[in-house]
Amino acid sequence: MALGANRSNVLLLVMKGALLQIAIGLAIGIPIALLGGHLMASQLYGVNKYDPFTLVGAVLVLAVCAAIAGFIPARRASSIEPMNALRTE
């Protein structure tokens, strides 16, 4: 903001970084969860290899929690006055 960005640009920049981390985590975590389900089904009786409701529910809960965790510091970063930020650095 001290270099000319407005509050919405700062909020978008911080949220873009948080959402990128969410996407990377889901891209790595979903295949590992599917592989783990396949291994569990071969080891345990009565366990399905793929449970779409559980997987979608876990993805939604984790994505919402991570988005909220990214939004709180993004809102704080966009609300700070530029002169205060420059003084503390």
Side-chain angles (χ1 to χ4, degrees), residues 50-82:
Y50 176 67
D51 186 11
F53 296 116
T54 304
L55 187 62
V56 169
V59 166
L60 288 177
V61 167
L62 290 173
V64 167
C65 290
I68 291 171
F71 181 72
I72 293 170
R75 193 182 70 199
R76 188 180 310 147
S78 67
S79 67
I80 192 167
E81 290 297 321

Side-chain angles (χ1 to χ4, degrees), residues 28-50:
I28 293 170
I30 290 174
I32 290 174
L34 292 175
L35 179 65
H38 181 69
L39 293 174
M40 291 283 287
S42 67
Q43 298 293 322
L44 298 174
Y45 176 74
V47 176
N48 294 334
K49 288 194 277 188
Y50 176 67

